[in-house]
Amino acid sequence: MSISGPAARRGRPPATSPRELELIALHLFTENGFDETTVEQIAAEAGVSSRTFFRYFESKAAVLWHDFDREVDALCAAFGHVDDDLPMMDAIRETVVSVNHYRAEDVAELRTRMHLIGSVPALQASAAPHYDAWERAVSAFAGERLRQPSGALYPLAIGRTTLAACRAAFDLWVERADADLTVYLDEALRALASGFGT
Amino acid sequence: MSISGPAARRGRPPATSPRELELIALHLFTENGFDETTVEQIAAEAGVSSRTFFRYFESKAAVLWHDFDREVDALCAAFGHVDDDLPMMDAIRETVVSVNHYRAEDVAELRTRMHLIGSVPALQASAAPHYDAWERAVSAFAGERLRQPSGALYPLAIGRTTLAACRAAFDLWVERADADLTVYLDEALRALASGFGT
DNA sequence: TACGTTATCGTCACTGACTGACGTAAACAA
DNA sequence: TTGTTTACGTCAGTCAGTGACGATAACGTA
């Protein structure tokens, strides 16, 4: 039996890590552009072959979605501890905002990553499965609250429109740099819950 | 001077047409799957080389977005003739619904195309620029109504959430086959405008 | 009929993402 | 030392997509 921590591992030790590849890729993408950067360059920078890169990530673009996917996990977890008395759309807004508090030292990286995702067509194209998981987290919660299957019209629409509103907030936050991300998210989700009524 | 119609053309006549390639592709995709179908097969079926395919469409996936892009044009045009007295979200709903009336003989093809788009990852990945244009059409209208730039938070969020709600309606319409597409769209957009309140 | 113009097509060579098969390297365990 | 485990490298291959360039097939004009 092994305690948690760097337990004794068996085989050949990894020559790199997902995190290292992510940082190298982020640097090269911002420096030279996504399309102009080859997987071979990223791998070489990490001292591995391009074949190894594809053992860590299933595509060149996937390297930028690592953190986003972890946020989806956090979102699912946060929906588990929601006050039952809170109205549904308020609960969604507060939960989404709560998992989007970032430490000051992480904001710069988040910004560059989201700027890339928002501006490079090849990266926008890679978004679908990740967005889908995020939406499903919200749809599942909405489905429970409404006592409907998560694939019914209301839960499905709530999941998708919630992400859509958040993406609008994200984009403005990346473009301007004048306020905290959570301020934008809160405003966008309040607008959604009000039906965009004036 | 030439009257309208099949005017005398100068060079070598085209060996195929976008429409022919679209129908062939749609057939092969549904028959053998999108990933299993090569561009060369589509081109061969039309009697041209694969190089010619890429002169008609900028990617293998683009062949399925032809009609969707035309709907975007229709949407923009329809927003030009909206009663100024109609409340904004009602105007958006009625406009979107109005451009989604399809002739009975076109419904089957629409369904297969949307089923492919909704189920094949590679096709979902190709959606971004097309969805973007659709969203911008709505954002532009919302921007005018709210006297804000279309890139401001409300117009942007309205454009994106409107598409998100419509996509939920589309998916359910494709999955079930029990009612007209416009019924689903109307319900989804009413839900959006009400803030999903019960 | 011959020749130039024009628009489209085919061929070829090439880049780069991604995959499967297979052998190798580096760690630990018995 | 030998075996097991895990990760890695190499190689060959498929396929999407691009640029360059020459070949075709229509028309117009002399």
Side-chain angles (χ1 to χ4, degrees), chain B residues 146-164:
Chain B
L146 300 176
R147 303 180 195 286
Q148 293 177 23
S150 65
L153 182 61
Y154 263 66
L156 191 57
I158 290 169
R160 295 221 170 139
T161 55
T162 300
L163 175 65

Side-chain angles (χ1 to χ4, degrees), chain B residues 10-12 15 48-49 52 55-56:
Chain B
R10 278 294 291 267
R12 175 176 177 170
V48 296
S49 72
T52 293
R55 290 197 177 96
Y56 282 79

Side-chain angles (χ1 to χ4, degrees), chain A residues 88-89 92 138 142 146 153-162, chain B residues 196:
Chain A
M88 179 182 66
M89 294 306 283
I92 290 175
V138 180
L146 300 174
L153 183 61
Y154 262 68
L156 191 58
I158 290 170
R160 295 218 170 142
T161 55
T162 300
Chain B
F196 301 102

Side-chain angles (χ1 to χ4, degrees), chain A residues 23-188:
Chain A
L23 288 175
I24 292 172
L26 199 54
H27 178 250
L28 289 177
F29 291 165
T30 52
E31 204 74 12
N32 308 330
F34 179 84
D35 292 323
E36 288 70 27
T37 303
T38 67
V39 171
E40 199 141 7
Q41 289 173 355
I42 303 171
E45 196 90 1
V48 295
S49 73
S50 58
R51 189 66 183 84
T52 294
F53 177 94
F54 286 112
R55 289 198 178 96
Y56 280 78
F57 298 102
E58 65 181 7
S59 73
K60 174 180 165 184
V63 74
L64 285 193
W65 292 98
H66 204 232
D67 285 25
F68 184 92
D69 291 344
R70 290 223 310 273
E71 193 199 309
V72 174
D73 298 337
L75 192 62
C76 291
F79 274 128
H81 322 116
V82 172
D83 180 4
D84 284 342
D85 297 332
L86 205 57
M88 179 182 66
M89 294 306 283
D90 291 329
I92 290 175
R93 175 173 45 79
E94 290 188 11
T95 303
V96 168
V97 169
S98 75
V99 300
N100 274 284
H101 285 285
Y102 289 93
R103 293 178 304 172
E105 66 253 39
D106 295 336
V107 171
E109 184 185 329
L110 178 67
R111 235 198 179 86
T112 38
R113 182 167 47 241
M114 304 226 46
H115 177 255
L116 280 169
I117 289 174
S119 62
V120 177
L123 286 172
Q124 293 170 352
S126 68
H130 309 275
Y131 285 167
D132 222 61
W134 199 99
E135 289 167 357
R136 273 199 303 272
V138 180
S139 292
F141 175 75
E144 287 178 17
R145 275 298 180 93
L146 300 174
R147 303 178 194 287
Q148 293 178 22
S150 65
L153 183 61
Y154 262 68
L156 191 58
I158 290 170
R160 295 218 170 142
T161 55
T162 300
L163 176 66
C166 289
R167 291 209 303 122
F170 275 121
D171 284 6
L172 282 187
W173 174 72
V174 169
E175 183 184 325
R176 320 218 245 270
D178 55 348
D180 197 80
L181 170 59
T182 54
V183 174
Y184 282 98
L185 288 172
D186 191 82
E187 188 179 354

